[in-house]
């Protein structure tokens, strides 16, 4: 009876998820342990010899920490976790929630491999990467690429895969001139794909230089950062990080080591800047423009609201004032946390070339209007130092569980419909959302750079902010509970964000979005997707580099293991499709 019901459940999932008009049949699969074509122990040993001992057995971070005796501080440290090949900063991406589930949780009683690779090429040269790719091609293996593991969509890890680990490409080189096709591009920094932003900012400060990067210590500038677009507190002044990258060195799926810039492989250069992380090849290093060092002030303040209505009014007021900072090209990160009954808005505003008094004067109109609403304004402070020091984070809090959903909110919404912003916040918090992050990192030079030819989603050029909703959870939470939380989050939050940002054609940032986006090709890539597919076919015809919601991922199953004959069921049925299989999913655990 049990087997029969599980068979019925499996059939029901296929039918309810895909519908009668959808064919979802396997046509080609990668080899996994137990398959006839999977490498033998002798084969893996031969690869290790080729790599001169740089092939690693990979285990989940919880198991690694048990063996290492990690402290809680180490578990929560992104800088520490990036030294563990199987670790992801967002811990839930290491889990396989099944069915059947394979979990390895901190302080758990059991540990399975889950969604963590089996082996890793601990690369320090392009030749190591080439050897790993050649082996994966020879044995038809699933491949993933990872630098630090700072990844909100789980693209840097995969079950039964071979990891190409670039964490130890640590070179940093500054130059005052950088010619491409005979034309000098000016001062630059070239960084390996294992170099985090904290390290780059520190090195740049010593050279009296600044480059365009974000605020997270462990983000690798030459990793997935620019492949998504790469926003920065200084994007309103200098544009997105992808607008300022001049060249990549890349190992391709055919193992070629190539220079990619506006003159060499210009189609791939177009795709690498905004066409999605992990889909194009293994980046060895990237070269970025640098700028003269400058001072900046970070202004910090908290604003507290005591009811849902007051929260909505506060965010409408904020939306009305967001244009106040256009003239000085300020950036702002604003975190709204709490519940439907009370919230706290923490604002961190970065003013380039303004001192403390000028920064406070810039914030005063908004804060005065917030007080007039009855909100409580407190803990206002400023710090002025070099721009490098303003954006350096000592570490990144890690080892937690979260899924996110986001949209790029157009400038036109703030100019013409600020009430819609407050209404969206009010609706989301009434639905149980407890954390929203707004990032004022667009407009200014981001909009002015619309003439740059790249795969960056055009929504970035029209945007004012990036708005992200978070759904965290703590362990232990049942597998059924996790799945219910994830599907419900996508089905309820994504439509609110989408409507605010313009509906079905709205865009999002592919490095900070929802892996369950119902129409990911539109949301993350927009009108660029057909050209991206064409370039993908040219450089990776066998889809060696497949990641969730990456280019051509719709032609593979969720694990990236088997090709499928695919009709876009999600486009046909909308986001509620994710709720349909959950009711059937329960059968696997409740029978």
């Amino acid at each position: 009876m049990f087997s029969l019901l599980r068979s019925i459940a499996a059939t029901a999932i296929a039918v309810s998820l895909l519908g009668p008009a959808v064919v979802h049949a396997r046509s080609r699969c990668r080899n996994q342990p137990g398959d006839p074509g999977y490498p033998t122990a002798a084969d893996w040993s031969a690869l290790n010899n080729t790599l001169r001992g740089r092939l690693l057995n990979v285990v989940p971070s919880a198991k690694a920490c048990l063996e290492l005796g990690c402290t809680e501080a180490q578990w929560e440290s992104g800088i520490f976790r990036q030294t563990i090949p199987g670790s992801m900063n967002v811990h839930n991406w290491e889990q396989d929630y099944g069915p059947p589930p394979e979990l390895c949780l901190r302080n758990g009683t059991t540990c399975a491999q889950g969604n963590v690779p089996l082996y890793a090429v601990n690369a320090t040269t392009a030749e190591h990467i080439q050897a790993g790719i050649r082996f994966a091609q020879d044995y038809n293996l699933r491949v993933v690429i990872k630098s630090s593991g700072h990844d909100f969509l789980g693209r840097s890890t995969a079950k039964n895969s071979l990891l190409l680990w670039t964490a130890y490409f640590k070179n940093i080189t500054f130059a005052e001139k950088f010619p491409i096709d005979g034309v000098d591009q000016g001062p630059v920094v070239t960084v390996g794909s294992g170099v985090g932003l904290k390290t780059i900012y520190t090195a740049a400060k010593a050279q009296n230089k600044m480059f365009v990067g974000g605020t997270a210590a462990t983000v690798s500038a030459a990793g997935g950062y620019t492949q998504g677009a790469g926003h920065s507190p200084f994007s309103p002044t200098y544009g997105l990080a992808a607008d300022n990258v001049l060249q990549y060195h890349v190992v391709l799926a055919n193992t070629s080591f190539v220079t990619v810039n506006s003159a060499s492989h210009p189609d791939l250069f177009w795709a690498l800047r905004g066409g999605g992380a992990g889909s194009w090849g293994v980046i060895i290093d990237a070269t970025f423009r640098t700028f003269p060092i400058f001072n900046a002030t970070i202004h910090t303040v908290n604003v507290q609201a005591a009811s849902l209505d007051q929260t909505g009014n506060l965010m409408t007021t904020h939306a009305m004032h967001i244009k106040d900072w256009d003239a000085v090209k300020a950036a702002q990160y604003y975190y709204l946390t709490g519940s439907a009954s009370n919230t706290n808005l923490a604002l961190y505003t970065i003013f380039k070339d303004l001192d403390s008094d000028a920064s406070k004067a810039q914030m005063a109109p908004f804060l005065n209007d917030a007080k007039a609403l009855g909100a409580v304004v407190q803990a206002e402070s400023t710090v002025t130092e070099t721009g490098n020091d303003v954006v350096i984070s000592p570490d990144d809090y890690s080892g937690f569980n979260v899924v996110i959903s986001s949209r790029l909110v157009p400038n036109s919404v703030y100019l013409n419909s600020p009430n819609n912003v407050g209404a969206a916040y009010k609706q989301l918090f009434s639905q149980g959302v407890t954390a929203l992050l707004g990032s004022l990192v667009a407009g200014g030079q981001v909009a002015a750079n619309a003439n740059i030819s790249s795969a960056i989603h055009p929504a970035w050029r029209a945007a004012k902010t990036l708005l992200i909703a978070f759904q965290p959870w703590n362990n232990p939470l049942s597998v059924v509970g996790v799945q219910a939380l994830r599907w419900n989050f996508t089905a309820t939050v994504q439509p609110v964000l989408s409507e605010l940002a313009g509906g079905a054609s709205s865009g999002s940032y592919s490095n900070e979005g929802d892996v369950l986006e119902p129409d990911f090709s539109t949301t993350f890539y927009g009108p660029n997707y057909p050209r991206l597919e064409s370039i993908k076919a040219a450089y990776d015809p066998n889809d060696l580099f497949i990641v969730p919601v990456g280019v051509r991922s719709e032609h593979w199953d969720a694990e990236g293991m088997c090709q499928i004959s695919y009709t876009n069921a999600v486009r046909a049925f909308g986001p509620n499709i994710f709720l349909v299989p959950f009711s059937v999913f329960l059968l696997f655990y409740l029978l």
Side-chain angles (χ1 to χ4, degrees):
M1 182 65 173
F2 180 79
S3 299
L4 174 61
L5 288 174
R6 285 179 81 87
S7 297
I8 293 171
T11 303
I13 283 181
V15 173
S16 63
L17 181 59
L18 297 173
V22 178
V23 178
H24 191 171
R26 295 182 174 191
S27 58
R28 178 171 73 88
C29 293
R30 306 194 194 281
N31 287 322
Q32 302 185 62
D35 291 339
Y38 192 75
T40 65
D43 297 326
W44 287 111
S45 179
L47 174 61
N48 190 40
N49 290 336
T50 300
L51 296 169
R52 298 178 181 268
R54 303 196 69 83
L55 183 68
L56 306 177
N57 290 301
V58 182
V59 298
S61 60
K63 183 175 182 178
C65 269
L66 182 64
E67 295 170 352
L68 294 169
C70 298
T71 65
E72 196 64 23
Q74 288 174 320
W75 174 262
E76 294 177 353
S77 165
I79 289 176
F80 177 78
R81 291 178 69 88
Q82 69 182 354
T83 66
I84 300 172
S87 173
M88 297 288 285
N89 278 19
V90 180
H91 187 226
N92 49 279
W93 295 120
E94 296 182 36
Q95 314 308 320
D96 178 1
Y97 292 103
E102 290 188 16
L103 309 180
C104 188
L105 305 178
R106 174 77 161 151
N107 299 322
T109 56
T110 61
C111 181
Q113 190 72 11
N115 197 41
V116 174
L118 294 172
Y119 296 93
V121 175
N122 183 15
T124 57
T125 67
E127 289 78 11
H128 294 150
I129 296 295
Q130 289 169 320
I133 291 175
R134 193 173 296 114
F135 187 84
Q137 299 274 32
D138 288 346
Y139 291 95
N140 188 28
L141 301 179
R142 174 81 159 92
V143 163
V144 289
I145 308 164
K146 190 182 81 164
S147 174
S148 68
H150 187 113
D151 178 4
F152 282 100
L153 285 85
R155 300 163 298 184
S156 305
T157 190
K159 187 182 185 73
N160 292 332
S161 65
L162 174 62
L163 170 63
L164 304 176
W165 195 27
T166 68
Y168 292 98
F169 286 98
K170 295 290 192 183
N171 58 294
I172 305 178
T173 306
F174 290 87
E176 289 302 311
K177 295 183 178 181
F178 190 76
I180 294 177
D181 201 28
V183 178
D184 181 33
Q185 305 297 314
V188 300
V189 61
T190 299
V191 297
S193 55
V195 184
L197 295 180
K198 177 182 178 181
T199 302
I200 301 173
Y201 288 133
T202 301
K205 181 181 177 182
Q207 301 287 326
N208 288 318
K209 300 290 187 182
M210 183 61 176
F211 98 116
V212 177
T215 61
T218 58
V219 164
S220 299
Y225 179 57
T226 61
Q227 293 178 77
H231 63 74
S232 165
F234 302 112
S235 286
T237 301
Y238 297 116
L240 297 164
D243 295 336
N244 288 284
V245 67
L246 297 171
Q247 181 171 283
Y248 300 94
H249 284 119
V250 184
V251 178
L252 302 176
N254 67 3
T255 74
S256 298
F257 177 69
V258 297
T259 298
V260 181
N261 57 38
S262 58
S264 174
H265 303 283
D267 53 348
L268 184 57
F269 186 56
W270 180 88
L272 281 167
R273 292 170 299 145
S279 295
W280 309 102
V282 182
I283 296 175
I284 304 302
D285 62 44
T287 299
F288 297 84
R289 293 186 181 91
T290 59
F291 303 92
I293 202 168
F294 51 82
N295 284 340
T297 295
I298 181 167
H299 177 284
T300 305
V301 67
N302 290 311
V303 184
Q304 296 178 340
S307 69
L308 186 59
D309 286 340
Q310 194 174 70
T311 294
N313 291 335
L314 174 63
M315 298 317 297
T316 294
T317 300
H318 180 265
M320 293 171 67
H321 280 280
I322 208 164
K323 63 181 181 297
D324 293 357
W325 308 303
D326 286 356
V328 294
K329 296 185 177 180
Q332 186 180 87
Y333 300 97
Y334 49 102
Y335 299 81
L336 187 69
T337 57
S339 65
S341 58
N342 60 80
T343 56
N344 183 77
L345 178 65
L347 301 104
Y348 304 86
T349 313
I350 297 96
F351 295 97
K352 179 180 179 289
D353 295 327
L354 294 189
D355 62 16
S356 175
D357 289 342
S359 299
K360 288 182 177 179
Q362 286 285 328
M363 294 298 297
F366 164 65
L367 296 178
N368 289 337
D369 282 355
K371 292 175 185 176
L373 294 172
V376 177
V377 176
Q378 60 183 19
E380 183 178 13
S381 65
T382 60
V383 175
T384 302
E385 50 194 349
T386 68
N388 307 55
D389 292 324
V390 163
V391 295
I392 285 178
S393 296
D395 203 347
D396 299 329
Y397 174 67
S398 300
F400 55 88
N401 303 312
V402 74
V403 288
I404 64 176
S405 187
S406 70
R407 279 299 185 274
L408 291 161
V409 183
N411 185 45
S412 59
V413 172
Y414 293 94
L415 291 176
N416 303 322
S417 308
N419 288 331
N420 290 354
V421 177
Y425 273 88
K426 186 175 176 180
Q427 182 175 350
L428 289 168
F429 270 78
S430 71
Q431 292 175 183
V433 171
T434 60
L436 285 162
L437 168 61
S439 298
L440 172 57
V441 289
Q445 196 60 41
V446 175
N449 284 346
N451 62 319
I452 293 177
S453 179
S454 71
I456 292 172
H457 197 308
W460 269 109
R461 307 308 184 185
K464 191 68 170 179
T465 66
L466 172 66
L467 183 58
I468 306 173
F470 295 84
Q471 177 59 73
W473 69 92
N474 295 320
N475 296 324
L477 179 64
S478 70
V479 170
V480 170
V482 171
Q483 296 286 30
L485 179 149
R486 290 190 62 196
W487 283 320
N488 182 67
F489 179 73
T490 296
T492 59
V493 171
Q494 183 270 339
V496 179
L497 295 175
S498 177
E499 181 180 2
L500 174 65
S505 63
S506 59
S508 179
Y509 177 35
S510 64
N511 284 345
E512 294 174 339
D514 188 349
V515 75
L516 297 181
E517 272 291 341
D519 185 8
F520 79 85
S521 61
T522 297
T523 302
F524 292 135
Y525 308 105
N528 296 326
Y529 197 72
R531 185 180 177 191
L532 287 168
E533 283 191 297
S534 176
I535 295 170
K536 174 79 169 172
Y539 285 93
D540 186 15
N542 295 317
D543 291 344
L544 179 69
F545 304 117
I546 286 293
V547 298
V549 298
V551 174
R552 283 191 53 81
S553 62
E554 69 270 31
H555 299 286
W556 291 80
D557 63 15
E559 293 76 28
M561 280 293 181
C562 292
Q563 277 186 323
I564 57 176
S565 300
Y566 183 87
T567 300
N568 198 333
V570 172
R571 279 186 190 155
F573 296 104
N576 288 333
I577 191 170
F578 296 110
L579 296 178
V580 175
F582 177 66
S583 60
V584 182
F585 174 92
L586 288 172
L587 289 173
F588 284 94
Y589 295 97
L590 300 181
L591 291 177

